[in-house]
């Protein structure tokens, strides 16, 4: 088989890149190691930057998002039993869209099907080859038979644990990482959200986040020790702890119910440079990870897709500047989101090794944020998404 761009990974970045290229007459094949149902079973991100909303609309997958998503003007932050609202719309003129990653991925799968896009599931042993030549190819095993795809380019959209990043020689690849000494325990419950918008709660006992997917589907997170067994967290224990970490008036109105999903995720900041090696381009989690406190993971994947799609379009139009500059342009925006996600995480989480001085600094930073339009504007412009 031959294609122009072979895409490894059928998550949001791989499917979105495939859709955008297809709409512009560029042929792709997506190789996904899992089944479609498995990919769609993963509960992940919930907040879309406005730039991501526009890219999804450009990809002709925005209809259900526009019909079922919730445009939010801002978020609440709380500490010391007090809360304050940061109004992104008033401060920046922009909003964010609440629309789950699972829905985005489902919309992309449906769109690929409508255009007869080639997405090969259960592709095992995917291996990129000859990336430093102008004739790379990818091999994989499907139903026990080895297959080969000859292509012009390979897009590594295969996530943090994928195969692509490892194709960059160790004497070329530079990795930057910070691992946080806690995780996020997340639950999904068919209950109305705690508030009309998200609540990020800093508390002595640990961070909590009240989010949502729709008017009767809520998403909550608690900062927990990394070695906490999931079984320890019964629903009742989760709700009791959540109530202790949010302001009293929120705790008194939270509607609880059985969890329909419960998972513990470790938090890390990670960046791999460069995001290109010969004919291979890294995209999304294959190249970088952020702690979810800034709601940037999925949005950075969209950001990379935006730059790579533009670069490939230019290449097939005879101009290679976009591809030459891909890694530099993508990383410039990645690092700004890494900084924001790190700052939100250190602002809102208590860690065991924090000194009394550290805690006072955290408290004063939140007090300053509560009182300063300039500080709130800086947070707002990062949260809604910096320009591409
Ligand atoms: P993905 O990991 O989504 O997709 C990669 C795909 O490649 C997967 O389908 C995988 O099966 C496939 N693959 C891997 N190796 C392969 C191989 N060798 N061959 C073929 N296919 C292969 N972000 C937020 O903004 N907010 C959140 O709350 C949030 N919560 C998260 C919770 C968890 C547990 C995790 C893991 C991530 C979370 N994220 C969150 C980040 C997440 O949303 C990612 O940023 C987003 O999925 C990135 O999309 P992709 O780059 O497409 O990678
Ligand atoms: C979510 O709804 O899953 C979510 C929202 C905001 C975040 C992280 C996760 O910062």
């Amino acid at each position: 088989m031959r294609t122009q761009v072979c895409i490894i990974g059928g998550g949001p970045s791989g499917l979105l890149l495939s859709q955008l290229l297809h709409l512009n007459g560029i042929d792709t094949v997506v190789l996904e190691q899992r089944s479609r149902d498995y990919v769609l079973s993963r509960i992940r991100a919930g907040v879309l930057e406005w730039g991501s909303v526009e890219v999804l609309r450009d990809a002709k997958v925005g209809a259900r998002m526009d019909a079922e998503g919730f445009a939010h003007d801002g978020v609440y932050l709380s500490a010391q039993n007090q809360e304050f609202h940061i109004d992104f719309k008033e401060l920046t003129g922009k909003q964010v869209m609440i629309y789950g990653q699972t829905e985005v991925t489902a919309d992309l799968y449906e769109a690929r099907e409508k255009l007869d896009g080639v997405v090969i599931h259960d592709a095992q042993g995917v291996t990129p080859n000859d990336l430093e030549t102008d004739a790379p190819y990818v091999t994989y095993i499907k139903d026990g038979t080895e297959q080969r795809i000859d292509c012009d380019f390979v897009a590594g959209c295969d996530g943090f644990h994928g195969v692509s990043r490892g194709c960059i020689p160790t004497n070329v690849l530079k990795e930057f990482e910070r691992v946080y000494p806690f995780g996020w325990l997340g639950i999904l419950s068919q209950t109305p959200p705690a508030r009309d918008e998200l609540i990020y709660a800093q508390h002595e006992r640990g961070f909590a986040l009240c989010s949502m997917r729709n008017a009767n589907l809520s998403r909550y997170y608690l900062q927990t020790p990394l070695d906490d067994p999931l079984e320890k967290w019964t629903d009742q224990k989760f709700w009791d702890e959540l109530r202790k970490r949010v302001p009293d008036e929120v705790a008194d109105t939270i509607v609880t119910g059985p969890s329909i999903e419960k998972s513990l995720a470790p938090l890390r900041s990670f960046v791999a440079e460069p995001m290109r090696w010969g004919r291979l381009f890294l995209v999304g989690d294959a190249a970088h990870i952020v702690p979810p406190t800034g709601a940037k993971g999925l949005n950075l994947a969209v950001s990379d897709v935006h730059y790579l799609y533009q670069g490939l379009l230019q290449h097939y139009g005879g101009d290679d500047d976009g591809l030459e500059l891909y890694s530099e342009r993508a990383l410039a925006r990645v690092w700004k989101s890494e900084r924001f996600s790190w700052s939100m995480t250190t602002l809102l989480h208590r860690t065991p090794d924090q000194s009394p001085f550290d805690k006072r600094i955290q408290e004063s930073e939140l007090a300053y944020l509560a009182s300063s339009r300039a500080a709130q504007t800086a947070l707002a412009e990062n949260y809604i998404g910096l320009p591409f």
Side-chain angles (χ1 to χ4, degrees):
M1 190 192 308
R2 188 181 209 293
T3 190
Q4 289 171 292
V5 183
C6 183
I7 297 171
I8 304 175
S13 60
L15 294 170
L16 179 58
L17 180 63
S18 170
Q19 176 71 2
L20 285 166
L21 292 174
H22 192 142
L23 290 173
N24 287 275
I26 297 170
D27 193 45
T28 66
V29 172
V30 176
L31 294 174
E32 166 56 49
Q33 68 180 358
R34 300 284 191 165
S35 71
R36 174 171 170 163
D37 287 347
Y38 182 92
V39 173
L40 291 176
S41 69
R42 295 188 292 229
I43 305 294
R44 288 191 174 167
V47 177
L48 295 173
E49 294 175 352
W50 211 254
S52 298
V53 167
E54 289 169 346
V55 171
L56 291 170
R57 286 174 178 161
D58 291 346
K60 309 272 185 271
V61 293
R64 196 161 70 98
M65 170 186 69
D66 288 330
E68 298 176 15
F70 293 74
H72 279 194
D73 288 353
V75 295
Y76 297 90
L77 275 79
S78 72
Q80 326 278 333
N81 207 28
Q82 301 290 318
E83 65 178 315
F84 60 96
H85 186 251
I86 298 185
D87 191 334
F88 304 150
K89 193 171 180 187
E90 197 273 321
L91 292 165
T92 68
K94 293 221 175 118
Q95 299 167 295
V96 290
M97 179 73 84
I98 303 299
Y99 190 65
Q101 173 173 326
T102 310
E103 308 317 316
V104 171
T105 311
D107 295 343
L108 282 164
Y109 267 120
E110 188 183 332
R112 298 308 300 125
E113 227 165 45
K114 264 194 201 137
L115 291 179
D116 294 327
V118 180
V119 180
I120 297 170
H121 285 281
D122 304 310
Q124 301 304 314
V126 175
T127 308
N129 300 275
D130 289 358
L131 292 170
E132 295 170 77
T133 72
D134 58 4
Y137 66 96
V138 178
T139 55
Y140 65 98
I141 295 165
K142 173 81 176 174
D143 303 329
T145 308
E146 177 159 295
Q147 308 287 342
R148 170 174 167 144
I149 299 177
D150 291 281
C151 52
D152 298 334
F153 299 101
V154 179
C157 301
D158 47 349
F160 185 67
H161 301 291
V163 64
S164 300
R165 190 170 67 248
C167 295
I168 300 181
T170 49
N171 65 333
V172 172
L173 191 67
K174 287 200 289 293
E175 295 183 332
F176 306 82
E177 184 170 53
R178 168 163 297 192
V179 178
Y180 298 89
F182 44 78
W184 275 21
L185 171 66
I187 73 162
L188 208 52
S189 64
Q190 286 169 321
T191 53
R195 265 264 195 284
D196 59 334
E197 294 181 334
L198 274 57
I199 306 172
Y200 287 81
Q202 191 246 27
H203 193 277
E204 187 61 35
R205 298 176 65 91
F207 170 77
L209 172 60
C210 304
S211 184
M212 63 197 75
R213 292 293 178 270
N214 60 48
N216 199 43
L217 190 60
S218 296
R219 180 75 170 155
Y220 291 101
Y221 295 93
L222 290 178
Q223 171 189 347
T224 51
L226 267 176
D227 54 3
D228 254 9
L230 204 52
E231 312 69 60
K232 162 184 168 185
W233 286 93
T234 61
D235 286 0
Q236 191 55 54
K237 180 176 174 63
F238 185 95
W239 294 121
D240 292 347
E241 186 60 33
L242 178 72
R243 283 199 176 97
K244 290 173 186 165
R245 299 187 186 183
V246 296
D248 295 344
E249 63 170 296
V250 178
D252 295 344
T253 54
I254 282 182
V255 177
T256 64
S259 60
I260 57 172
E261 190 270 351
K262 191 181 286 178
S263 54
L264 182 62
L267 271 63
R268 78 175 71 236
S269 297
F270 173 85
V271 180
E273 295 180 2
M275 288 175 58
R276 173 185 187 177
W277 176 249
R279 292 293 179 115
L280 170 71
F281 295 89
L282 300 185
V283 182
D285 278 18
H288 41 73
I289 296 287
V290 283
T293 329
K296 291 299 168 204
L298 174 59
N299 291 296
L300 274 181
V302 175
S303 176
D304 295 346
V305 168
H306 165 80
Y307 290 120
L308 184 54
Y309 149 66
Q310 299 286 353
L312 287 165
L313 234 53
Q314 285 171 11
H315 165 79
Y316 287 110
D319 170 0
D320 268 345
D321 281 356
L323 291 183
E324 292 304 317
L325 291 170
Y326 167 72
S327 182
E328 181 187 333
R329 282 177 177 161
L331 282 168
R333 197 165 185 277
V334 163
W335 274 111
K336 292 188 179 79
S337 287
E338 289 282 347
R339 183 210 64 80
F340 176 67
S341 304
W342 164 82
S343 70
M344 285 283 277
T345 303
T346 47
L347 173 66
L348 294 168
H349 292 73
R350 290 281 200 219
T351 53
D353 63 347
Q354 257 181 319
S355 68
F357 174 81
D358 297 333
K359 290 181 182 178
R360 284 287 184 273
I361 290 292
Q362 222 176 21
E363 287 159 10
S364 67
E365 191 171 347
L366 270 165
Y368 171 57
L369 189 57
S371 62
S372 161
R373 182 182 175 82
Q376 292 189 10
T377 304
L379 186 148
E381 71 171 6
N382 280 280
Y383 196 99
I384 55 115
L386 298 175
F388 285 137

